[in-house]
Amino acid sequence: MNVNYQHTNLSHSTTRRKISSIIFTAASLTRATVSAFSPAILHHGHAKSAHPPFTQVLAMQTSSSLIDISSTAHERDVYSMEAWAQQYGMQKANGVEFYSEDGSDYQLMTQAFIAAGDSILFVPTDIILSSNTHKMNEEFGESLQEAEVALVNIDREAASRLPLFRLMVKILSEYDKGQDSPFYPWLNSLPREFYNGVSMTDACFDCLPPYASNLAMKELDTYSSFVSALRQGFVPISHNTINDEGVVKWAYNVALTRFHEVWEPTRQKMIAPMADMLNHAAAPNCEISFENDNCVVKALWDIQPQTTLTISNGSPTNPTPLFAQFGFLPNDCTTIFCKAVHLEDQIKELGYSYNDLLFETESGVPSSKVWDIFLYELLQKNDQSVAEEFFVAFKITDGQKQQYHDHYFQYTLDAMKQHVYGILGDVDELTTKAQSYDLATHPRVPVIVAHNNLVRDTFTMTANLLESMG
C-alpha cells in the first residue's frame, strides 16, 4: 500500500502536535545532518537511495576484524548503530531514545508525548534484512537453494522455517565480512548472550516442566538441522565461521529473537534495525508495519513521557512459548497453560489449542475448556460410549455439555486435583535442582526459576480453589 508521508498525522486533531511528531517529507529529510552518507529521500512511500550503495560503503570501512560475540565482550554499541541507521535515513520521533538499567539489555522509550496514530520510527528498506526469496537468491544464487534442499532432506518439518534459515544465513554472511560488512554497526549492537531454549544446556532442560522443556528442545532440534545443512558447504561462508558453534548459535538466536513476520504479499521474516529494539508487552503501545518494504512503527494510542515503547511478540495468554523463543518471562501475563500435555489427543479432538487451556495467574481459576478435556479423557478411560455421547453434546450446545459436567463433577474434580498436585510436586523438585547450579556456569538459572515460580504460584492458587470445591 502506498503511503504519502507528507500527509501523515495531519488531521485536524493532530495538526497542533505535528512539531513533536515525525513528519516524513523530503524537506525535513534534507535538513538532516551532513555526513559521509546522504539521507534517503521519500517519494510516495518509496525510499529512493541518495546515499552511496553498500558496495561503495565497503570502501569506507577499515580492517575486517570480526565482532567479538563472547559473553565477556565489551558493552553493546547501540549508539553507533543508531548513528549508522540515521545516516541511511532512519528517523525517529522527538524524545525516542535508548534506555538500559544494566548496560546490556536495551529498550526504546519516549521522553516526549506521542499521540495515537503518530509515527515513531521509520526504517528504510536499504538497511532491513529480509528473507525475501528473490533478494536472497540475487545475493547467494543457487548455493542458497542447494542448502535449503539439503535442510528439507534433513528435516521435513524445517520446510516451514526456511525464512528463518535465510535470515540466519544472511547474518552469518555479514558477520563473516567483519568490518567490511555494511551491517557491522548493527551486528555490533546486538546481545552477546541469550537465555532461550536454543541457548540452554541439558542441565537446563532437566530443570523445566515438560511443556517448557518440549518447546525449548524443539527449537534446539531446528537449530541442529540448520547447522547440519549449513555445514554441507553450499553457502559461501568461511569454514571458520560455519564451524564456530558459538557464532552459529548466536546468529540463529539473533534471527529467532529479532524478526517481524510479514504475510502479504508473500510470507517473509524481516529485521529492521532500531525497530528490533522494541520490547514485548501483553498490551503493546506500538505496532510495526512494512510499507513498500520500509518499516514504519506507529503508536496504537497516546503514549505518555517516560514510557517504554512496546510491541507484541506473541500470545499474552501463554508466556511459555515466549520463554522458549526469547528467553524472558513476561511480567504482565494474566494466564498460563494448564500444562496438561498428556491430554494432547483430547485437546486436538475437541478442537482446542494450548492457548485455550489456561489458569488465571491472579486467581488460579481454570478456563471452562480445561474442565472439558479432563472430563473427556475421564469418560474415554471408563466408558467409551458415554465419551462419544459427550462429544456429540459438546458439538451441539453448551447446555447439553453442562449436564455431563454436573453428573461427573466429582470425578473430574479429582482428576484435576491429581494433575495440579503432580505439577506442583514436579516444579518444586525441578526448582530445587536449578538452584543447586553454579550461576557462573549456568547463567540461565534465574529465568528458569522465575518460570517455575510462576507455575508454582498459579497452580498453588488453583489447588486451593479446587479444594474449596469439594
Side-chain angles (χ1 to χ4, degrees), residues 10 40 48 74 90 116 122 127 140 153 241 261 285 307 320 353 368 391 420 441 448:
L10 292 182
K48 296 179 64 178
H74 59 276
M90 183 279 294
F122 171 82
I127 59 170
F140 294 96
N153 287 336
T241 294
E261 195 93 52
N285 52 28
T307 300
T320 304
S353 70
S368 62
F391 183 81
V420 168
T441 54
I448 291 173

Side-chain angles (χ1 to χ4, degrees), residues 193 195 200-205 207 433-434 436-448:
E193 195 164 23
Y195 298 85
M200 291 182 183
T201 63
D202 290 341
C204 295
F205 291 124
C207 299
K433 179 184 288 188
S436 70
Y437 294 162
D438 183 356
L439 286 178
T441 54
H442 295 86
R444 294 160 190 86
V445 163
V447 71
I448 291 173

